[in-house]
Amino acid sequence: MGRRLAAASLATLLGLAPVAPAAAAAPVTFTPGAPGLGDPHYPLSGNGGYDVRHYDLDVRYAPATDELTGHATILAAATQHLSRFDLDLTGLAVDAIRVNDRPAAWTRDGGELVITPARGLRKGQPFTVDVRYHGVPVRYSYPSDIPGEPAYEYGFIRTDDGAIIAGEPESATLWFPVNDHPRDKATYSMRLTVPEGLTAIGNGVPLGSSTRDGWTTWRWAALTPVASYLSTMAVGRFRVDQHLHDGRPTVIAVDAALAPEVADPVVGRTDEITDYLETLFGAYPMEANGAIVDRADTLWFALETQTRPTYPASYFTSGTSRYQATVVAHELTHQWFGDSVSVANWYDTWLNEGFATYGEWMWGEHDGWFTVQHEFNQFYEFPIDHPFWAPAYDPAGERPWGLSAYTRGAMTLHALRMHVGDATFFRILRTWAAERRYANGSTEQFAALASRVAGRDLRPFIMDWLAGPQKPPNPDPAPVALAGPATAGGGCAPPAGLPPRIMAGCGR
């Protein structure tokens, strides 16, 4: 008793409150993560309950058998107390899964890989997922709307000497387990192993290669966060130009079967075009730059794969070199808008495609081919019921892509420029790129930012141009001859500067 009194007296002298018995910790309830992030158009894309920080991919691909073997190590953090969680994976067989270095159970439900760790994962705590898998990647093929043209492939695309991965919104799920939505961006490290004599191109900074027992491993690191659909692997025989520009590597890989004069001079302008775009949008946001040009009859589109845009060889076999350079400008503009600043939901796609189309218009004017106003006026002259004028922003619509995401999106930006003046307009674009760098943004957030920068409410103006049922007044109504008449079938002769990947919808 005397010792207890002495202790109590000492505590009183030191000003310490009496220590109460420790309360029992509240029990933790672990619940499953959602099987999707709730994007209205792709509700099962992505998964809830965690946030991925990094993907470490060790992939071997044999073109002769089309067999892919992979080992993905994923570093993530739980955003709730998780009893189980999903990854997105299509087609490939899973061999083993470990979570925090303990064997985990798993099931498959369509494109969902449902993982139950040996122990619940506490909110806020980092965890690792280790997945080993193999198989022949799923092949997506779609018939062409153009008579005589072959079907096109999407996602994991075979070529005559390898493969290339490109597809929006889905492609990553075809070659590794992933949280497949732009809202969950992560950095990447890649070890891509292919038969000796072939090259494997990935995202980001090149870290060299090594050859052993007839296989060559190419190493890449993407140091800035990547939306999963912008990850890529290109395997084949390439002519590779690698150099430093402004202290960062530029890696341009062109299918070796193409004559050097076909594509090399145009994609060789990548640094030049990037330098110009920096004067408009601010500092280039990525750690590397470059291009991949591959020859495949079934590859019909370009894609802004991060730091290394993908182009089909066919883009460089027709049209003028100035026209081809606008395609490069389109995909490089995406490095700011779409890659660094990614969409919050897929119905915000005009924030990617409208911006990239406007970037190609501005490059075309800078390159002395046409003026931005001429491009705007050509599209403006089409009737309101033409696909060019369909709502570019339509959260309740059937699909987020269409001609209008490009054309009406770009017209919206030009109308905004005419409305607020160049100084304010480019301050809006640079502020959007800076404040949302490596993150996501929505249409509502862009309208709010534009209003803040301009010092007045621009939301009604922007929404009217994006989705109003009638044409807003043309800010510069000087008449312009159309490149070709609209037809009852919705086709047209494409105006200059239209991205080639949407020409099919224009009757070409």
Side-chain angles (χ1 to χ4, degrees):
M1 180 182 290
R3 288 183 178 176
R4 288 197 293 271
L5 287 173
S9 299
L10 180 60
T12 301
L13 288 172
L14 294 177
L16 301 176
V19 178
V28 172
T29 301
F30 294 92
T31 56
L37 288 178
D39 189 303
H41 291 91
Y42 302 96
L44 291 180
S45 290
N47 305 282
Y50 65 95
D51 176 62
V52 176
R53 308 293 173 78
H54 184 78
Y55 293 96
D56 181 70
L57 304 179
D58 192 348
V59 172
R60 176 178 292 214
Y61 178 65
T65 60
D66 206 17
E67 181 83 8
L68 182 146
T69 304
H71 177 197
T73 303
I74 303 168
L75 176 62
T79 57
Q80 68 181 66
H81 295 311
L82 275 175
S83 60
R84 70 170 188 260
F85 60 93
D86 290 17
L87 288 167
D88 301 307
L89 183 66
T90 302
L92 299 170
V94 174
D95 301 312
I97 299 178
R98 299 178 73 87
V99 176
N100 288 338
D101 208 28
R102 293 174 178 268
W106 77 89
T107 59
R108 304 294 290 271
D109 183 8
E112 300 291 318
L113 174 59
V114 185
I115 300 171
T116 303
R119 294 179 178 176
L121 304 172
R122 288 180 175 266
K123 180 179 180 180
Q125 293 300 304
F127 65 94
T128 59
V129 187
D130 191 291
V131 184
R132 295 178 183 270
Y133 56 98
H134 75 279
V136 173
V138 169
R139 182 171 185 157
Y140 290 155
S141 182
Y142 295 92
S144 170
D145 293 330
I146 304 174
E149 295 282 357
Y152 72 89
E153 287 192 329
Y154 167 95
F156 201 103
I157 302 165
R158 280 69 174 179
T159 64
D160 59 356
D161 57 0
I164 187 167
I165 298 168
E168 183 183 20
E170 181 186 7
S171 56
T173 67
L174 303 178
W175 69 296
F176 66 96
V178 58
N179 197 19
D180 194 30
H181 194 279
R183 279 188 235 152
D184 194 4
K185 302 163 74 168
T187 55
Y188 284 70
S189 48
M190 300 179 179
R191 292 175 299 283
L192 309 177
T193 301
V194 295
E196 185 177 359
L198 299 182
T199 300
I201 304 292
N203 303 87
V205 176
L207 299 179
S209 64
S210 58
T211 299
R212 181 178 179 181
D213 298 330
W215 294 85
T216 301
T217 299
W218 302 82
R219 296 173 178 83
W220 302 87
L223 308 178
T224 49
V226 180
S228 53
Y229 79 97
L230 300 172
S231 63
T232 192
M233 174 179 68
V235 176
R237 293 180 176 85
F238 292 102
R239 184 168 54 249
V240 179
D241 170 34
Q242 180 177 319
H243 62 271
L244 290 178
H245 180 73
D246 284 348
R248 62 179 174 259
T250 295
V251 180
I252 297 175
V254 179
D255 193 314
L258 291 174
E261 65 271 16
V262 173
D264 297 46
V266 180
V267 291
R269 301 183 74 182
T270 291
D271 292 334
E272 174 195 357
I273 295 171
T274 301
D275 288 346
Y276 168 71
L277 296 177
E278 284 190 304
T279 69
L280 305 177
F281 310 137
Y284 178 72
M286 303 302 175
E287 74 280 6
N289 204 350
I292 302 169
V293 181
D294 214 342
R295 189 171 60 102
D297 291 340
T298 56
L299 177 61
W300 278 27
F301 58 89
L303 188 67
E304 59 273 17
T305 38
Q306 191 157 314
T307 69
R308 211 124 299 130
T310 298
Y311 308 95
S314 59
Y315 277 21
F316 304 99
T317 57
S318 62
T320 66
S321 62
R322 277 181 168 174
Y323 170 73
Q324 295 158 7
T326 65
V327 179
V328 176
H330 182 105
E331 304 308 334
L332 288 175
T333 299
H334 271 308
Q335 303 305 303
W336 282 265
F337 308 110
D339 293 22
S340 177
V341 186
S342 301
V343 293
N345 285 294
W346 282 112
Y347 57 70
D348 293 305
T349 295
W350 83 274
L351 289 170
N352 295 358
E353 301 303 346
F355 278 59
T357 300
Y358 200 63
E360 74 178 70
W361 289 3
M362 288 189 286
W363 169 258
E365 180 171 286
H366 175 77
D367 205 30
W369 187 28
F370 51 71
T371 68
V372 172
Q373 190 64 50
H374 184 271
E375 294 299 281
F376 173 92
N377 285 346
Q378 283 195 109
F379 286 109
Y380 187 89
E381 291 301 317
F382 283 94
I384 190 64
D385 60 352
H386 193 279
F388 289 153
W389 277 100
Y393 173 69
D394 187 7
E398 293 184 2
R399 60 190 298 268
W401 280 277
L403 294 175
S404 62
Y406 299 76
T407 55
R408 193 166 180 176
M411 283 191 284
T412 297
L413 291 174
H414 188 62
L416 178 63
R417 179 181 176 182
M418 299 289 285
H419 188 59
V420 301
D422 273 13
T424 298
F425 174 74
F426 287 106
R427 190 160 63 248
I428 289 169
L429 296 194
R430 286 191 290 269
T431 303
W432 179 248
E435 292 190 2
R436 296 281 166 178
R437 188 180 176 100
Y438 309 140
N440 302 80
S442 69
T443 300
E444 291 284 354
Q445 288 168 332
F446 175 75
L449 179 141
S451 299
R452 170 166 59 84
V453 172
R456 51 185 158 136
D457 185 9
L458 294 173
R459 186 185 182 282
F461 180 89
I462 292 171
M463 294 302 177
D464 193 30
W465 272 95
L466 283 177
Q470 303 296 328
K471 288 186 186 182
N474 188 340
D476 186 356
V480 166
L482 292 177
T487 69
C492 64
L498 188 65
R501 61 173 154 174
I502 65 172
M503 280 188 176
C506 213
R508 183 175 185 269

